[in-house]
Amino acid sequence: MWTRQHKQRNTGRLIIPSLCALFLAYFGFHAYHGEFGIYSKYRLQAQAAELQARLDAVKARRVDFERRVQLLHEGTLEKDMLDEQARKALNLSQPDEITIMLPASTK
């Protein structure tokens, strides 16, 4: 009668745990760095905060423009505002006046 004797191998015990570790590592990486991952969430929150700041700046400029336009409406015409706009458009001033030209804001 023939008998086979096999040496016990430990590699079989490591296959399933190593596959599970690789599986968890793959999904863990994509849970953090993926398109809908944790890192993307923080990046989108930072972008939303930046865009909100830009929106607030644009709204402030709009309020300023609306206030200036309101000063030019008929009935509430303010002579200083009209004089300022006319001098800016025509680039004219009196000989005894000092004119300080400010650069246009680049916001």
Side-chain angles (χ1 to χ4, degrees):
M1 165 173 254
W2 296 90
T3 61
R4 288 189 182 177
Q5 295 181 354
H6 292 286
K7 184 178 179 184
Q8 292 288 337
R9 294 184 184 153
N10 291 332
T11 57
R13 294 181 187 172
L14 298 177
I15 291 174
I16 301 251
S18 63
L19 287 176
C20 289
L22 289 174
F23 182 80
L24 290 175
Y26 174 81
F27 283 107
F29 176 81
H30 287 289
Y32 186 77
H33 291 288
E35 185 178 354
F36 300 107
I38 297 169
Y39 180 70
S40 296
K41 175 185 173 185
Y42 293 128
R43 190 176 65 228
L44 287 175
Q45 286 176 344
Q47 184 180 9
E50 177 187 338
L51 291 175
Q52 185 64 40
R54 286 179 54 194
L55 177 64
D56 293 340
V58 168
K59 282 183 178 180
R61 285 183 59 205
R62 180 179 176 175
V63 166
D64 183 48
F65 287 144
E66 286 177 353
R67 182 188 56 81
R68 293 179 68 149
V69 167
Q70 185 65 31
L71 292 175
L72 292 175
H73 278 295
E74 193 172 332
T76 62
L77 189 62
E78 195 166 311
K79 292 180 183 178
D80 291 336
M81 181 60 104
L82 180 63
D83 185 50
E84 175 189 342
Q85 293 296 321
R87 287 175 190 273
K88 186 182 280 188
L90 300 174
N91 199 19
L92 295 174
S93 63
Q94 299 294 330
D96 60 344
E97 293 179 339
I98 298 174
T99 305
I100 301 173
M101 300 299 282
L102 298 175
S105 64
T106 58
K107 287 185 180 179

